[in-house]
Amino acid sequence: MLRILRMNQAFRVISATVVEIAPALMRYMAVLAALFYAFALIGMEFFAGVLSRECLPLDYETMYECEERTYRLEHSSYGANNYWSNNFNTLPRALITLFEQMVVNNWVIVMEGTVAGFNSDWPRIYFIIFW
């Protein structure tokens, strides 16, 4: 297949262009990776354990507040659409969640779940700045 494509003049021009702009793309990807890492760490610091179906009380809440948080999450569009794997509990999950936010895969639903779990409007600022 590549031998056939190599004979095509347009394909050779496109290939040469990709090779020529690769160093600039690598710099862009490095900046993007640094931003993702920074936002993932911030998200893990503030939202780890907030987007959870199990009622595990966080450091600052009682069992009653935990059950109330779980109820709000389950009745938000986050819980109704079964987005439970989009959370900030671990670095890989945070990076995947942020990648989904970047490609605008219903980013408002994850933001709504975080607002419901955090019981504050502050998570909106995080998601809007990232987006």
Side-chain angles (χ1 to χ4, degrees):
M1 182 73 172
L2 288 176
R3 288 181 189 178
I4 294 171
L5 289 175
R6 230 183 333 162
M7 290 183 212
N8 187 346
Q9 178 66 25
F11 181 74
R12 281 188 279 166
V13 170
I14 291 171
S15 298
T17 304
V18 168
V19 168
E20 189 173 324
I21 65 171
L25 285 176
M26 290 302 147
R27 288 190 291 270
Y28 173 73
M29 295 303 285
V31 169
L32 193 62
L35 285 173
F36 264 66
Y37 184 71
F39 271 92
L41 289 180
I42 292 168
M44 287 171 55
E45 186 66 33
F46 288 116
F47 310 130
V50 171
L51 298 172
S52 178
R53 183 179 294 184
E54 294 100 21
C55 189
L56 302 171
L58 302 173
D59 294 340
Y60 56 86
E61 68 182 359
T62 64
M63 191 62 172
Y64 172 75
E65 292 168 334
C66 180
E67 291 170 356
E68 184 180 332
R69 174 176 48 87
T70 305
Y71 177 82
R72 284 192 313 268
L73 275 171
E74 287 176 349
H75 290 84
S76 69
S77 59
Y78 177 85
N81 289 312
N82 203 19
Y83 272 59
W84 298 107
S85 62
N86 293 347
N87 57 49
F88 293 91
N89 295 345
T90 63
L91 184 60
R93 286 210 185 266
L95 290 172
I96 290 170
T97 301
L98 290 176
F99 179 77
E100 290 177 358
Q101 304 303 305
M102 182 185 75
V103 296
V104 194
N105 186 10
N106 296 331
W107 69 277
V108 179
I109 293 175
V110 178
M111 180 182 68
E112 180 187 342
T114 309
V115 168
F118 208 67
N119 200 20
S120 172
D121 285 333
W122 288 107
R124 293 182 199 275
I125 295 171
Y126 171 83
F127 284 100
I128 290 172
I129 289 173
F130 176 76
W131 196 71

